[in-house]
Amino acid sequence: GGGGAGGEGKSGLFDKVAEVGAEKPRPKQADLEGVAITYNDFIGRLMRPESKDLAKLVRTFISSILGPNGDGSPPGRNQSVDYDFYGSHMLQRRCELFFKEMETKMSVHVSWKDLGEGGLTSARNNLEKYVMTKIYDIAMAGQANPEEDARLSHRMELLSFIPPEALEVNPNLRNEVVWQIAQDELRRMREYKAPGDKIHCVVKCCSVIFSVLNLKRGNDDTSRPGADDFLPIFIYVVLKANVPSLHSNCEYIQNYHNPQALMSKSGYCFVNLRSAIEFILTLDASVLNMDEEAFNSELAASEERMATKYK
């Protein structure tokens, strides 16, 4: 059997992975950091009369993408608009600059600056959610790579015969019921439009896996579950979930989610997801705990099944 599911890329990349499973209470520095505001609070604040200058900027930005017809098509000859229409031109860069500019404006704005750092960060992320939900179809179309999605999905179906032990999943940690729940969390990515909501599905998937690791750890408190326990299970869950359009969804998150937000727990989970995908695309018998001959015969049988199915 080979080097297990993580290979040599594990050490540096995943040394902080245990933090995902450890929900630590936040230090009480609310005065300095400010308190995060909910999405509804954000919308409420934006609708206040004293925020009307900011609300106008948001409306104008969304209009510059969607246009007067609301579908990204340019204004017709008889349609006069009071903004510059750009459609999807350089959309990612424009969004990045807009969110940055708005965060700066909110930090000095009379009805926003009292939020503190944590509050302003959450306001910026809620603004991202508001805008990206409105322009989702256009933004996603720019990231969509149907060929790559199909290749990944086909590959996952092809390899669905791989058992957990081939990925060196610790036999004491087997829990198919929980893994099924983790798969369902990951599949829910497609139900959401905002990049932050999509990444939250990945975080929930990881947290479900960690809940089992933490339960098992209760019996033996000397060892924290780390990357060695987590990664093989996560790869197995990603493989079995076979989320449609997974590649395009990852590109969309990468390009439209607040890069600062990806420095935290969600960032670790996202890096894990991308690594799991890479592993699945490139694996062969040499990196599995599985006899090469057995692997090849299972693979051939799977290829035959799929050839019949997709005739």
Side-chain angles (χ1 to χ4, degrees), residues 142-156:
Q143 302 302 311
N145 187 333
E147 296 79 18
E148 201 55 42
D149 286 333
R151 181 171 85 102
L152 179 56
S153 201
H154 181 273
R155 174 83 174 160
M156 286 178 171

Side-chain angles (χ1 to χ4, degrees), residues 184-230:
D184 291 343
E185 291 291 1
L186 198 57
R187 288 192 191 106
R188 292 187 63 203
M189 272 175 98
R190 298 180 69 237
E191 296 170 19
Y192 294 98
K193 294 183 173 183
D197 291 341
K198 286 180 181 288
I199 195 82
H200 189 59
C201 297
V202 184
V203 174
K204 281 179 87 168
C205 168
C206 294
S207 300
V208 167
I209 295 170
F210 264 105
S211 66
V212 175
L213 297 185
N214 288 332
L215 278 176
K216 292 289 178 192
R217 183 176 128 219
N219 310 331
D220 167 24
D221 222 14
T222 54
S223 65
R224 278 190 76 171
D228 290 346
D229 284 328
F230 171 77

Side-chain angles (χ1 to χ4, degrees), residues 52-74:
K52 67 171 187 284
D53 54 334
L54 296 184
K56 185 174 192 300
L57 290 171
V58 175
R59 266 200 316 277
T60 302
F61 180 68
I62 293 171
S63 299
S64 78
I65 299 160
L66 296 181
N69 307 309
D71 59 2
S73 60

Side-chain angles (χ1 to χ4, degrees), residues 11-262:
S11 54
L13 206 52
F14 303 116
D15 51 1
K16 289 188 168 170
V17 77
E19 289 183 13
V20 175
E23 293 283 2
K24 290 196 268 311
R26 295 285 304 272
K28 286 200 168 145
Q29 286 180 290
D31 300 343
L32 285 175
E33 294 180 6
V35 181
I37 61 167
T38 67
Y39 185 63
N40 288 342
D41 289 343
F42 167 78
I43 298 296
R45 229 173 235 256
L46 192 62
M47 297 308 157
R48 286 182 190 168
E50 59 271 28
S51 294
K52 67 171 187 284
D53 54 334
L54 296 184
K56 185 174 192 300
L57 290 171
V58 175
R59 266 200 316 277
T60 302
F61 180 68
I62 293 171
S63 299
S64 78
I65 299 160
L66 296 181
N69 307 309
D71 59 2
S73 60
R77 266 187 220 151
N78 309 326
Q79 291 174 307
S80 70
V81 294
D82 58 353
Y83 52 82
D84 293 328
F85 174 79
Y86 294 104
S88 61
H89 179 66
M90 292 184 71
L91 183 57
Q92 185 204 333
R93 183 78 181 122
R94 278 162 57 217
C95 285
E96 194 185 325
L97 292 172
F98 177 70
F99 295 137
K100 253 197 194 121
E101 179 197 357
M102 288 298 288
E103 193 170 13
T104 307
K105 283 193 188 318
M106 286 189 288
S107 69
V108 294
H109 195 280
V110 59
S111 53
W112 295 78
K113 61 182 181 189
D114 62 319
L115 285 175
E117 203 180 320
L120 283 166
T121 302
S122 67
R124 182 248 177 262
N125 291 336
N126 283 318
L127 174 66
E128 173 186 287
K129 176 173 175 162
Y130 180 75
V131 171
M132 295 314 299
T133 302
K134 299 261 188 212
I135 67 166
Y136 177 70
D137 292 343
I138 292 171
M140 193 56 171
Q143 302 302 311
N145 187 333
E147 296 79 18
E148 201 55 42
D149 286 333
R151 181 171 85 102
L152 179 56
S153 201
H154 181 273
R155 174 83 174 160
M156 286 178 171
E157 191 174 341
L158 187 65
L159 296 174
S160 61
F161 64 84
I162 292 176
E165 50 274 17
L167 294 164
E168 296 184 4
V169 168
N170 180 336
N172 299 326
L173 298 172
R174 280 198 71 151
N175 191 324
E176 297 283 350
V177 176
V178 170
W179 297 351
Q180 193 60 56
I181 295 168
Q183 288 170 47
D184 291 343
E185 291 291 1
L186 198 57
R187 288 192 191 106
R188 292 187 63 203
M189 272 175 98
R190 298 180 69 237
E191 296 170 19
Y192 294 98
K193 294 183 173 183
D197 291 341
K198 286 180 181 288
I199 195 82
H200 189 59
C201 297
V202 184
V203 174
K204 281 179 87 168
C205 168
C206 294
S207 300
V208 167
I209 295 170
F210 264 105
S211 66
V212 175
L213 297 185
N214 288 332
L215 278 176
K216 292 289 178 192
R217 183 176 128 219
N219 310 331
D220 167 24
D221 222 14
T222 54
S223 65
R224 278 190 76 171
D228 290 346
D229 284 328
F230 171 77
L231 260 182
I233 297 174
F234 186 62
I235 290 169
Y236 181 74
V237 164
V238 172
L239 176 65
K240 289 290 186 182
N242 196 346
V243 179
S245 314
L246 185 56
H247 173 83
S248 297
N249 271 283
C250 285
E251 289 296 301
Y252 171 74
I253 291 167
Q254 185 83 56
N255 290 319
Y256 286 102
H257 194 33
N258 182 1
Q260 290 309 112
L262 286 175

Side-chain angles (χ1 to χ4, degrees), residues 273-295:
L273 178 59
R274 298 222 92 159
S275 302
I277 291 168
E278 194 50 42
F279 181 79
I280 289 162
L281 284 171
T282 56
L283 73 81
D284 58 23
S286 70
V287 296
L288 294 174
N289 181 28
M290 193 172 179
D291 176 68
E292 189 166 357
E293 215 168 293
F295 175 79

